[in-house]
Protein backbone atom coordinates (compact mmCIF):
# COMPACT_ATOMS: atom_id res chain seq x y z
CA UNK A 1 0.00 0.00 0.00
CA UNK A 2 2.78 2.36 0.95
CA UNK A 3 4.69 1.43 -2.16
CA UNK A 4 1.65 2.17 -4.30
CA UNK A 5 1.33 5.65 -2.82
CA UNK A 6 4.85 6.64 -3.77
CA UNK A 7 4.26 6.99 -7.53
CA UNK A 8 0.99 8.85 -6.87
CA UNK A 9 2.79 11.32 -4.59
CA UNK A 10 5.59 11.72 -7.11
CA UNK A 11 3.07 12.30 -9.89
CA UNK A 12 1.33 15.01 -7.89
CA UNK A 13 4.66 16.62 -7.07
CA UNK A 14 5.61 16.45 -10.73
CA UNK A 15 2.35 18.16 -11.78
CA UNK A 16 2.81 20.89 -9.16
CA UNK A 17 6.39 21.43 -10.28
CA UNK A 18 5.34 21.68 -13.93
CA UNK A 19 2.64 24.20 -13.07
CA UNK A 20 5.12 26.23 -11.01
CA UNK A 21 7.56 26.32 -13.94
CA UNK A 22 4.96 27.48 -16.45
CA UNK A 23 5.13 31.03 -17.72
CA UNK A 24 2.76 32.96 -15.35
CA UNK A 25 0.56 34.57 -17.99
CA UNK A 26 0.07 31.26 -19.79
CA UNK A 27 -0.95 29.56 -16.54
CA UNK A 28 -3.24 32.45 -15.60
CA UNK A 29 -4.98 32.57 -18.96
CA UNK A 30 -5.53 28.81 -19.27
CA UNK A 31 -6.86 28.58 -15.71
CA UNK A 32 -9.14 31.55 -16.26
CA UNK A 33 -10.73 30.11 -19.40
CA UNK A 34 -11.33 26.71 -17.80
CA UNK A 35 -12.75 28.27 -14.61
CA UNK A 36 -15.04 30.62 -16.52
CA UNK A 37 -16.44 27.80 -18.64
CA UNK A 38 -16.93 25.48 -15.66
CA UNK A 39 -18.69 28.12 -13.55
CA UNK A 40 -20.92 29.15 -16.46
CA UNK A 41 -21.98 25.54 -17.11
CA UNK A 42 -22.66 24.93 -13.41
CA UNK A 43 -24.73 28.09 -13.07
CA UNK A 44 -26.84 27.34 -16.13
CA UNK A 45 -27.29 23.58 -15.81
CA UNK A 46 -26.89 23.18 -12.05
CA UNK A 47 -28.51 26.26 -10.54
CA UNK A 48 -30.73 27.19 -13.50
CA UNK A 49 -29.31 30.73 -13.64
CA UNK A 50 -29.11 32.15 -17.16
CA UNK A 51 -28.62 35.43 -19.06
CA UNK A 52 -27.89 38.64 -17.18
CA UNK A 53 -28.49 36.84 -13.89
CA UNK A 54 -25.22 34.93 -14.31
CA UNK A 55 -23.07 38.05 -14.63
CA UNK A 56 -22.54 38.82 -10.89
CA UNK A 57 -21.50 35.24 -10.13
CA UNK A 58 -19.20 34.98 -13.14
CA UNK A 59 -17.61 38.33 -12.25
CA UNK A 60 -17.14 37.23 -8.64
CA UNK A 61 -15.51 33.96 -9.69
CA UNK A 62 -13.26 35.73 -12.22
CA UNK A 63 -12.03 38.37 -9.81
CA UNK A 64 -11.54 36.01 -6.88
CA UNK A 65 -9.51 33.79 -9.21
CA UNK A 66 -7.41 36.77 -10.34
CA UNK A 67 -6.82 37.91 -6.75
CA UNK A 68 -5.95 34.37 -5.69
CA UNK A 69 -3.48 34.03 -8.57
CA UNK A 70 -1.73 37.27 -7.65
CA UNK A 71 -1.65 36.30 -3.95
CA UNK A 72 -0.13 32.90 -4.80
CA UNK A 73 2.41 34.59 -7.06
CA UNK A 74 3.44 36.96 -4.29
CA UNK A 75 3.72 34.09 -1.81
CA UNK A 76 5.93 32.17 -4.27
CA UNK A 77 8.08 35.26 -4.97
CA UNK A 78 7.13 35.45 -8.66
CA UNK A 79 7.51 39.24 -9.04
CA UNK A 80 10.30 41.77 -8.69
CA UNK A 81 10.38 44.69 -6.29
CA UNK A 82 8.96 46.87 -9.08
CA UNK A 83 5.57 45.28 -8.35
CA UNK A 84 5.38 47.54 -5.28
CA UNK A 85 6.27 50.64 -7.32
CA UNK A 86 2.99 51.33 -9.16
CA UNK A 87 2.90 52.64 -12.70
CA UNK A 88 1.47 56.20 -12.96
CA UNK A 89 -1.73 54.82 -14.50
CA UNK A 90 -2.05 52.39 -11.60
CA UNK A 91 -1.69 55.21 -9.07
CA UNK A 92 -4.29 57.35 -10.85
CA UNK A 93 -6.80 54.48 -11.02
CA UNK A 94 -6.33 53.65 -7.35
CA UNK A 95 -6.84 57.31 -6.47
CA UNK A 96 -9.94 57.57 -8.66
CA UNK A 97 -11.33 54.37 -7.15
CA UNK A 98 -10.72 55.61 -3.60
CA UNK A 99 -12.43 58.95 -4.24
CA UNK A 100 -15.37 57.21 -5.92
CA UNK A 101 -15.71 54.72 -3.05
CA UNK A 102 -15.72 57.49 -0.44
CA UNK A 103 -18.21 59.49 -2.51
CA UNK A 104 -20.42 56.43 -2.84
CA UNK A 105 -20.44 55.89 0.93
CA UNK A 106 -21.20 59.57 1.60
CA UNK A 107 -24.06 59.47 -0.93
CA UNK A 108 -25.50 56.31 0.58
CA UNK A 109 -25.07 54.30 -2.62
CA UNK A 110 -25.62 50.54 -2.75
CA UNK A 111 -22.89 48.97 -0.62
CA UNK A 112 -22.88 45.69 -2.57
CA UNK A 113 -21.91 47.55 -5.71
CA UNK A 114 -19.37 49.71 -3.88
CA UNK A 115 -17.60 46.52 -2.79
CA UNK A 116 -17.85 44.99 -6.28
CA UNK A 117 -16.47 48.02 -8.13
CA UNK A 118 -13.72 48.51 -5.53
CA UNK A 119 -12.77 44.89 -6.20
CA UNK A 120 -12.70 45.63 -9.94
CA UNK A 121 -10.34 48.60 -9.53
CA UNK A 122 -7.96 47.06 -6.98
CA UNK A 123 -7.73 43.71 -8.78
CA UNK A 124 -7.12 45.41 -12.13
CA UNK A 125 -4.18 47.35 -10.68
CA UNK A 126 -2.72 44.27 -8.94
CA UNK A 127 -3.03 42.12 -12.07
CA UNK A 128 -1.47 44.85 -14.23
CA UNK A 129 1.46 45.25 -11.83
CA UNK A 130 1.89 41.49 -11.51
CA UNK A 131 2.28 40.76 -15.21
CA UNK A 132 4.32 43.88 -15.83
CA UNK A 133 6.99 42.88 -13.29
CA UNK A 134 7.55 39.09 -13.34
CA UNK A 135 10.66 37.66 -11.71
CA UNK A 136 11.07 34.90 -14.29
CA UNK A 137 11.57 35.69 -17.95
CA UNK A 138 8.10 35.96 -19.45
CA UNK A 139 7.85 34.66 -23.00
CA UNK A 140 4.71 36.08 -24.66
CA UNK A 141 5.11 33.70 -27.59
CA UNK A 142 4.35 30.80 -25.23
CA UNK A 143 0.90 32.35 -24.68
CA UNK A 144 0.15 32.25 -28.40
CA UNK A 145 1.59 28.74 -28.68
CA UNK A 146 -0.75 27.58 -25.91
CA UNK A 147 -3.84 29.17 -27.47
CA UNK A 148 -3.11 27.57 -30.84
CA UNK A 149 -2.03 24.17 -29.57
CA UNK A 150 -4.39 21.40 -30.79
CA UNK A 151 -5.65 20.48 -27.26
CA UNK A 152 -6.54 24.07 -26.43
CA UNK A 153 -8.18 24.70 -29.79
CA UNK A 154 -10.23 21.57 -29.18
CA UNK A 155 -11.34 22.91 -25.77
CA UNK A 156 -12.26 26.25 -27.33
CA UNK A 157 -14.22 24.43 -30.01
CA UNK A 158 -16.15 22.42 -27.40
CA UNK A 159 -17.08 25.54 -25.39
CA UNK A 160 -18.17 27.37 -28.55
CA UNK A 161 -20.20 24.35 -29.75
CA UNK A 162 -21.99 23.89 -26.41
CA UNK A 163 -22.96 27.55 -26.35
CA UNK A 164 -24.86 27.26 -29.64
CA UNK A 165 -27.58 25.21 -27.94
CA UNK A 166 -27.68 27.01 -24.60
CA UNK A 167 -29.01 30.31 -23.33
CA UNK A 168 -25.64 31.99 -22.88
CA UNK A 169 -21.94 31.77 -23.76
CA UNK A 170 -19.71 29.54 -21.66
CA UNK A 171 -16.57 31.42 -22.65
CA UNK A 172 -15.08 34.90 -22.76
CA UNK A 173 -16.70 36.19 -25.95
CA UNK A 174 -14.06 38.78 -26.83
CA UNK A 175 -11.08 36.51 -26.19
CA UNK A 176 -12.52 33.67 -28.26
CA UNK A 177 -13.39 35.98 -31.14
CA UNK A 178 -9.85 37.38 -31.12
CA UNK A 179 -8.48 33.81 -31.05
CA UNK A 180 -10.62 33.00 -34.09
CA UNK A 181 -9.73 36.18 -36.00
CA UNK A 182 -6.01 35.98 -35.24
CA UNK A 183 -5.99 32.34 -36.30
CA UNK A 184 -7.59 33.16 -39.63
CA UNK A 185 -5.65 36.34 -40.36
CA UNK A 186 -2.17 35.83 -38.91
CA UNK A 187 -1.39 32.22 -38.02
CA UNK A 188 0.46 30.47 -40.88
CA UNK A 189 -0.77 26.91 -40.25
CA UNK A 190 -3.85 25.76 -42.15
CA UNK A 191 -5.02 23.90 -39.02
CA UNK A 192 -5.10 27.16 -37.04
CA UNK A 193 -6.96 28.94 -39.82
CA UNK A 194 -9.51 26.13 -40.05
CA UNK A 195 -10.07 26.03 -36.28
CA UNK A 196 -10.35 29.82 -36.25
CA UNK A 197 -12.99 29.80 -38.97
CA UNK A 198 -15.04 27.07 -37.25
CA UNK A 199 -14.85 28.78 -33.84
CA UNK A 200 -15.83 32.10 -35.41
CA UNK A 201 -18.84 30.48 -37.09
CA UNK A 202 -19.97 28.79 -33.86
CA UNK A 203 -19.60 32.03 -31.89
CA UNK A 204 -22.15 33.68 -34.17
CA UNK A 205 -24.68 30.86 -34.14
CA UNK A 206 -27.41 30.79 -31.51
CA UNK A 207 -30.50 28.81 -30.66
CA UNK A 208 -33.85 30.58 -30.62
CA UNK A 209 -36.88 28.41 -29.74
CA UNK A 210 -35.07 25.35 -31.03
CA UNK A 211 -33.93 26.91 -34.32
CA UNK A 212 -30.23 27.60 -34.86
CA UNK A 213 -29.68 30.96 -36.56
CA UNK A 214 -26.98 33.57 -37.14
CA UNK A 215 -26.60 36.01 -34.24
CA UNK A 216 -24.28 38.99 -34.33
CA UNK A 217 -24.44 42.31 -32.52
CA UNK A 218 -23.36 45.75 -33.64
CA UNK A 219 -20.57 45.94 -31.06
CA UNK A 220 -19.03 42.79 -32.52
CA UNK A 221 -19.30 44.14 -36.08
CA UNK A 222 -17.49 47.33 -35.09
CA UNK A 223 -14.82 45.43 -33.15
CA UNK A 224 -14.20 42.96 -35.97
CA UNK A 225 -13.89 45.91 -38.35
CA UNK A 226 -11.30 47.46 -36.02
CA UNK A 227 -9.31 44.21 -36.02
CA UNK A 228 -9.40 44.18 -39.82
CA UNK A 229 -8.01 47.72 -39.94
CA UNK A 230 -5.24 46.85 -37.45
CA UNK A 231 -4.27 43.80 -39.50
CA UNK A 232 -4.10 45.72 -42.77
CA UNK A 233 -2.07 48.49 -41.14
CA UNK A 234 0.34 45.97 -39.64
CA UNK A 235 0.89 44.48 -43.11
CA UNK A 236 1.10 47.95 -44.72
CA UNK A 237 -1.80 47.12 -47.05
CA UNK A 238 -2.93 50.72 -47.29
CA UNK A 239 -4.37 50.36 -50.81
CA UNK A 240 -6.43 47.34 -49.74
CA UNK A 241 -7.58 49.26 -46.68
CA UNK A 242 -8.73 52.14 -48.85
CA UNK A 243 -10.79 49.88 -51.09
CA UNK A 244 -12.28 48.00 -48.12
CA UNK A 245 -13.39 51.26 -46.54
CA UNK A 246 -14.87 52.26 -49.90
CA UNK A 247 -16.64 48.87 -50.10
CA UNK A 248 -17.96 49.27 -46.54
CA UNK A 249 -19.41 52.68 -47.37
CA UNK A 250 -20.94 51.19 -50.50
CA UNK A 251 -22.47 48.35 -48.45
CA UNK A 252 -24.00 50.86 -46.04
CA UNK A 253 -25.45 52.79 -48.97
CA UNK A 254 -26.87 49.58 -50.42
CA UNK A 255 -28.37 48.59 -47.04
CA UNK A 256 -30.07 51.98 -46.79
CA UNK A 257 -31.62 51.45 -50.20
CA UNK A 258 -33.34 48.20 -49.17
CA UNK A 259 -37.08 48.25 -48.64
CA UNK A 260 -38.47 47.72 -45.13
CA UNK A 261 -39.77 44.23 -45.89
CA UNK A 262 -36.31 43.02 -46.89
CA UNK A 263 -34.72 44.66 -43.84
CA UNK A 264 -37.21 42.83 -41.57
CA UNK A 265 -35.68 39.49 -42.62
CA UNK A 266 -32.20 40.45 -41.35
CA UNK A 267 -30.82 39.65 -37.84
CA UNK A 268 -32.31 41.95 -35.19
CA UNK A 269 -29.22 44.05 -34.43
CA UNK A 270 -28.41 44.64 -38.09
CA UNK A 271 -32.07 45.41 -38.82
CA UNK A 272 -32.14 47.98 -35.99
CA UNK A 273 -28.96 49.65 -37.22
CA UNK A 274 -30.29 49.99 -40.78
CA UNK A 275 -33.66 51.28 -39.66
CA UNK A 276 -32.05 53.87 -37.37
CA UNK A 277 -29.76 55.07 -40.17
CA UNK A 278 -32.84 55.40 -42.37
CA UNK A 279 -34.29 57.82 -39.82
CA UNK A 280 -36.57 55.53 -37.84
CA UNK A 281 -37.42 56.64 -34.30
CA UNK A 282 -35.09 55.15 -31.67
CA UNK A 283 -38.09 54.54 -29.41
CA UNK A 284 -39.23 51.80 -31.80
CA UNK A 285 -36.16 49.66 -31.07
CA UNK A 286 -35.82 48.17 -27.61
CA UNK A 287 -32.07 47.47 -27.65
CA UNK A 288 -31.05 50.90 -28.92
CA UNK A 289 -33.56 52.82 -26.81
CA UNK A 290 -32.35 50.96 -23.70
CA UNK A 291 -28.96 52.63 -24.02
CA UNK A 292 -30.53 56.04 -24.68
CA UNK A 293 -32.80 55.60 -21.67
CA UNK A 294 -29.87 54.76 -19.41
CA UNK A 295 -28.02 57.88 -20.59
CA UNK A 296 -31.10 59.98 -19.86
CA UNK A 297 -31.31 58.53 -16.35
CA UNK A 298 -27.64 59.26 -15.71
CA UNK A 299 -28.00 62.89 -16.76
CA UNK A 300 -31.20 63.19 -14.73
CA UNK A 301 -29.19 62.06 -11.70
CA UNK A 302 -26.87 65.02 -12.29
CA UNK A 303 -29.72 67.54 -12.27
CA UNK A 304 -28.84 68.84 -8.78
CA UNK A 305 -25.20 67.73 -8.71
CA UNK A 306 -22.48 69.75 -6.99
CA UNK A 307 -19.29 70.88 -8.73
CA UNK A 308 -17.39 68.11 -6.94
CA UNK A 309 -19.85 65.50 -8.24
CA UNK A 310 -19.51 66.78 -11.80
CA UNK A 311 -15.74 66.46 -11.43
CA UNK A 312 -15.48 63.15 -9.52
CA UNK A 313 -18.86 61.53 -10.19
CA UNK A 314 -21.68 60.19 -8.05
CA UNK A 315 -19.47 57.51 -6.58
CA UNK A 316 -19.29 53.74 -6.70
CA UNK A 317 -22.54 51.90 -6.15
CA UNK A 318 -24.61 54.56 -7.90
CA UNK A 319 -27.68 53.03 -9.53
CA UNK A 320 -30.47 54.08 -11.88
CA UNK A 321 -34.19 53.31 -11.91
CA UNK A 322 -35.05 50.85 -14.70
CA UNK A 323 -38.77 50.58 -14.04
CA UNK A 324 -39.53 52.83 -17.03
CA UNK A 325 -37.19 51.04 -19.46
CA UNK A 326 -38.56 49.28 -22.52
CA UNK A 327 -36.10 46.40 -22.02
CA UNK A 328 -37.10 44.76 -18.74
CA UNK A 329 -34.30 42.17 -18.61
CA UNK A 330 -31.61 44.34 -16.90
CA UNK A 331 -34.01 45.31 -14.14
CA UNK A 332 -35.39 41.79 -13.77
CA UNK A 333 -31.94 40.32 -13.16
CA UNK A 334 -30.46 43.13 -11.03
CA UNK A 335 -29.41 41.96 -7.57
CA UNK A 336 -31.27 44.84 -5.89
CA UNK A 337 -34.26 44.99 -8.22
CA UNK A 338 -35.34 47.20 -11.11
CA UNK A 339 -35.12 50.44 -9.13
CA UNK A 340 -31.41 49.94 -8.40
CA UNK A 341 -29.54 48.84 -11.51
CA UNK A 342 -25.83 49.68 -11.65
CA UNK A 343 -24.95 48.48 -15.17
CA UNK A 344 -24.90 51.26 -17.79
CA UNK A 345 -24.27 50.05 -21.35
CA UNK A 346 -22.55 53.07 -22.93
CA UNK A 347 -18.98 53.25 -21.66
CA UNK A 348 -18.84 57.04 -21.41
CA UNK A 349 -22.07 57.21 -19.38
CA UNK A 350 -20.96 54.33 -17.13
CA UNK A 351 -17.64 56.01 -16.32
CA UNK A 352 -19.10 59.50 -16.03
CA UNK A 353 -21.88 58.38 -13.67
CA UNK A 354 -19.49 57.00 -11.08
CA UNK A 355 -16.20 58.85 -11.73
CA UNK A 356 -17.24 62.16 -13.31
CA UNK A 357 -15.18 64.14 -15.79
CA UNK A 358 -11.98 63.06 -14.02
CA UNK A 359 -12.83 59.42 -14.72
CA UNK A 360 -13.64 60.16 -18.34
CA UNK A 361 -10.30 61.90 -18.77
CA UNK A 362 -8.45 59.00 -17.13
CA UNK A 363 -10.10 56.26 -19.19
CA UNK A 364 -9.82 58.39 -22.35
CA UNK A 365 -6.12 58.85 -21.66
CA UNK A 366 -5.68 55.09 -21.22
CA UNK A 367 -7.45 54.37 -24.52
CA UNK A 368 -5.38 56.97 -26.37
CA UNK A 369 -2.24 55.47 -24.82
CA UNK A 370 -3.07 52.01 -26.20
CA UNK A 371 -3.67 53.39 -29.70
CA UNK A 372 -0.55 55.54 -29.42
CA UNK A 373 1.50 52.48 -28.45
CA UNK A 374 0.18 50.60 -31.48
CA UNK A 375 1.08 53.32 -33.96
CA UNK A 376 4.46 53.91 -32.30
CA UNK A 377 5.33 50.21 -32.66
CA UNK A 378 3.97 50.20 -36.20
CA UNK A 379 6.06 53.14 -37.40
CA UNK A 380 9.21 51.95 -35.58
CA UNK A 381 9.04 48.46 -37.05
CA UNK A 382 8.52 46.71 -33.68
CA UNK A 383 5.08 45.28 -34.43
CA UNK A 384 5.71 41.54 -34.75
CA UNK A 385 2.95 38.94 -34.83
CA UNK A 386 3.14 38.15 -31.10
CA UNK A 387 2.74 41.81 -30.10
CA UNK A 388 -0.07 42.12 -32.65
CA UNK A 389 -2.10 39.45 -30.82
CA UNK A 390 -2.08 41.56 -27.66
CA UNK A 391 -3.11 44.68 -29.57
CA UNK A 392 -5.91 42.71 -31.22
CA UNK A 393 -7.34 41.78 -27.83
CA UNK A 394 -6.91 45.18 -26.16
CA UNK A 395 -8.35 47.24 -29.01
CA UNK A 396 -11.12 44.75 -29.79
CA UNK A 397 -12.24 44.99 -26.15
CA UNK A 398 -12.15 48.79 -26.16
CA UNK A 399 -14.30 49.03 -29.29
CA UNK A 400 -16.70 46.33 -28.08
CA UNK A 401 -17.09 48.04 -24.70
CA UNK A 402 -18.25 51.41 -26.05
CA UNK A 403 -21.86 50.13 -26.31
CA UNK A 404 -21.35 47.36 -23.70
CA UNK A 405 -19.21 48.85 -20.93
CA UNK A 406 -19.24 45.93 -18.53
CA UNK A 407 -17.10 43.87 -20.92
CA UNK A 408 -14.21 46.24 -20.17
CA UNK A 409 -14.97 47.30 -16.60
CA UNK A 410 -15.52 43.80 -15.18
CA UNK A 411 -12.73 42.07 -17.11
CA UNK A 412 -9.50 41.12 -15.28
CA UNK A 413 -8.00 39.82 -18.53
CA UNK A 414 -7.68 43.33 -19.97
CA UNK A 415 -5.19 44.67 -17.36
CA UNK A 416 -3.28 41.37 -17.59
CA UNK A 417 -2.86 41.76 -21.36
CA UNK A 418 -1.97 45.43 -20.94
CA UNK A 419 0.61 44.65 -18.25
CA UNK A 420 2.39 42.03 -20.35
CA UNK A 421 2.29 44.30 -23.41
CA UNK A 422 4.00 47.13 -21.51
CA UNK A 423 6.61 44.61 -20.31
CA UNK A 424 7.30 43.50 -23.90
CA UNK A 425 7.65 47.10 -25.06
CA UNK A 426 9.97 47.95 -22.16
CA UNK A 427 12.23 45.04 -23.07
CA UNK A 428 12.16 45.97 -26.76
CA UNK A 429 13.25 49.51 -25.91
CA UNK A 430 16.14 48.19 -23.83
CA UNK A 431 17.21 45.88 -26.64
CA UNK A 432 17.02 48.75 -29.12
CA UNK A 433 19.11 50.98 -26.85
CA UNK A 434 21.73 48.23 -26.53
CA UNK A 435 21.82 47.74 -30.29
CA UNK A 436 22.01 51.50 -30.97
CA UNK A 437 25.06 52.05 -28.75
CA UNK A 438 28.02 54.11 -29.93
CA UNK A 439 30.12 51.02 -30.60
CA UNK A 440 29.98 49.64 -34.12
CA UNK A 441 27.78 46.62 -34.64
CA UNK A 442 30.71 44.68 -36.11
CA UNK A 443 34.31 44.96 -35.06
CA UNK A 444 37.34 43.16 -36.34
CA UNK A 445 38.55 40.69 -33.74
CA UNK A 446 41.71 41.97 -32.06
CA UNK A 447 44.78 39.82 -32.29
CA UNK A 448 45.65 38.10 -29.04
CA UNK A 449 49.06 38.92 -27.59
CA UNK A 450 51.68 36.21 -28.14
Amino acid sequence: MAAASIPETAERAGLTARLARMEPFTLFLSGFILLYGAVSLMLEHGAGIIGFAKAPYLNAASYLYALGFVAAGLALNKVTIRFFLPHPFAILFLLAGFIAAVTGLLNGNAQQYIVAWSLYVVTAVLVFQFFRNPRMESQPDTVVKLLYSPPFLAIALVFAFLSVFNKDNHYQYMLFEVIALYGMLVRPRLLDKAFGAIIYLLIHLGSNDGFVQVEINRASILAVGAIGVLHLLSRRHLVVLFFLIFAALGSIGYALSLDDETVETLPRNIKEAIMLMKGDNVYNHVSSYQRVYEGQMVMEDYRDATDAEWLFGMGLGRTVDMTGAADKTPGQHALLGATEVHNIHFLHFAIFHKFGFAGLALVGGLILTVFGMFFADLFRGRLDDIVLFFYFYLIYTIVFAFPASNFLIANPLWPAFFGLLTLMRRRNRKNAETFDSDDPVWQEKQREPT
Side-chain angles (χ1 to χ4, degrees):
M1 187 73 177
S5 65
I6 293 175
E8 182 180 352
T9 304
E11 184 179 349
R12 289 179 180 175
L15 177 61
T16 304
R18 286 196 297 271
L19 291 175
R21 288 195 300 268
M22 282 184 68
E23 194 278 323
F25 191 92
T26 305
L27 183 61
F28 172 78
L29 189 60
S30 55
F32 184 93
I33 291 169
L34 293 173
L35 173 78
Y36 191 96
V39 172
S40 179
L41 286 168
M42 286 189 295
L43 287 172
E44 184 164 323
H45 298 285
I49 302 173
I50 61 175
F52 287 109
K54 285 202 305 186
Y57 305 102
L58 286 171
N59 290 342
S62 300
Y63 274 85
L64 290 176
Y65 168 79
L67 278 177
F69 192 94
V70 171
L74 292 175
L76 296 173
N77 195 28
K78 294 294 186 180
V79 293
T80 67
I81 192 65
R82 291 174 65 97
F83 172 84
F84 302 97
L85 303 173
H87 186 276
F89 264 126
I91 294 173
L92 290 173
F93 272 99
L94 286 176
L95 181 60
F98 175 76
I99 294 173
V102 172
T103 304
L105 290 172
L106 293 176
N107 284 342
N109 296 346
Q111 295 184 2
Q112 295 93 327
Y113 295 143
I114 294 175
V115 172
W117 278 62
S118 299
L119 183 67
Y120 295 162
V121 174
V122 173
T123 305
V125 169
L126 291 176
V127 168
F128 169 74
Q129 288 290 116
F130 185 89
F131 289 109
R132 190 173 183 269
N133 303 290
R135 183 170 295 279
M136 68 180 293
E137 186 73 14
S138 289
Q139 299 295 335
D141 61 325
T142 62
V143 178
V144 178
K145 289 178 181 177
L146 166 77
L147 293 176
Y148 294 95
S149 62
F152 190 86
L153 286 174
I155 292 173
L157 195 61
V158 168
F159 278 133
F161 179 76
L162 289 175
S163 296
V164 173
F165 306 100
N166 291 281
K167 297 294 184 183
D168 206 354
N169 300 329
H170 303 309
Y171 53 84
Q172 275 276 321
Y173 181 91
M174 295 170 297
L175 177 61
F176 271 52
E177 185 143 55
V178 169
I179 290 172
L181 291 169
Y182 185 84
M184 291 187 290
L185 294 173
V186 179
R187 296 291 293 175
R189 295 191 309 175
L190 290 177
L191 178 66
D192 297 343
K193 294 182 183 297
F195 265 101
I198 296 171
I199 291 171
Y200 185 80
L201 174 64
L202 293 176
I203 285 174
H204 295 293
L205 290 178
S207 178
N208 185 13
D209 296 327
F211 296 97
V212 175
Q213 62 185 21
V214 175
E215 293 184 350
I216 189 167
N217 55 53
R218 284 161 289 181
S220 180
I221 293 173
L222 292 173
V224 170
I227 292 298
V229 171
L230 294 181
H231 177 254
L232 291 173
L233 287 173
S234 69
R235 298 298 190 258
R236 310 295 175 120
H237 295 325
L238 300 182
V239 175
V240 177
L241 178 60
F242 169 79
F243 280 104
L244 282 180
I245 293 174
F246 186 79
L249 294 174
S251 299
I252 293 173
Y254 174 74
L256 294 177
S257 68
L258 296 174
D259 59 84
D260 293 349
E261 291 183 2
T262 303
V263 173
E264 285 293 331
T265 64
L266 300 175
R268 180 181 60 85
N269 284 290
I270 297 177
K271 177 182 68 176
E272 280 194 20
I274 294 174
M275 294 302 292
L276 289 171
M277 285 190 291
K278 292 174 73 171
D280 197 17
N281 196 317
V282 70
Y283 299 100
N284 296 330
H285 304 281
V286 173
S287 177
S288 299
Y289 177 61
Q290 175 65 24
R291 287 157 171 78
V292 174
Y293 176 83
E294 291 168 0
Q296 291 172 342
M297 297 304 293
V298 168
M299 298 315 298
E300 185 176 314
D301 199 14
Y302 270 90
R303 182 178 299 170
D304 299 318
T306 64
D307 290 341
E309 287 173 333
W310 280 97
L311 182 58
F312 295 111
M314 294 293 181
L316 302 185
R318 197 67 170 187
T319 58
V320 295
D321 187 347
M322 286 289 177
T323 54
D327 186 357
K328 301 299 180 184
T329 51
Q332 289 170 349
H333 296 299
L335 290 176
L336 302 181
T339 59
E340 292 189 85
V341 179
H342 79 292
N343 180 35
I344 305 297
H345 281 83
F346 277 134
L347 181 63
H348 51 292
F349 279 120
I351 298 299
F352 179 64
H353 196 207
K354 297 170 179 63
F355 299 94
F357 282 118
L360 281 178
L362 182 57
V363 174
L366 178 63
I367 292 172
L368 290 176
T369 297
V370 173
F371 279 95
M373 289 162 53
F374 172 80
F375 283 106
D377 288 342
L378 175 66
F379 294 137
R380 292 171 183 169
R382 299 176 186 170
L383 193 63
D384 59 40
D385 286 347
I386 301 301
V387 173
L388 187 62
F389 177 80
F390 287 79
Y391 280 119
F392 271 16
Y393 179 78
L394 292 173
I395 294 177
Y396 181 100
T397 306
I398 290 170
V399 176
F400 192 95
F402 271 108
S405 66
N406 211 41
F407 284 90
L408 177 62
I409 294 169
N411 180 10
L413 289 184
W414 202 92
F417 271 81
F418 188 50
L420 191 54
L421 177 63
T422 58
L423 173 66
M424 287 189 284
R425 298 183 80 250
R426 189 173 68 199
R427 287 175 176 169
N428 288 340
R429 284 197 301 270
K430 287 182 179 180
N431 292 338
E433 290 171 359
T434 302
F435 185 80
D436 293 337
S437 62
D438 294 334
D439 296 328
V441 175
W442 176 86
Q443 289 181 331
E444 183 179 358
K445 184 178 179 180
Q446 300 296 320
R447 295 181 59 185
E448 297 181 358
T450 57

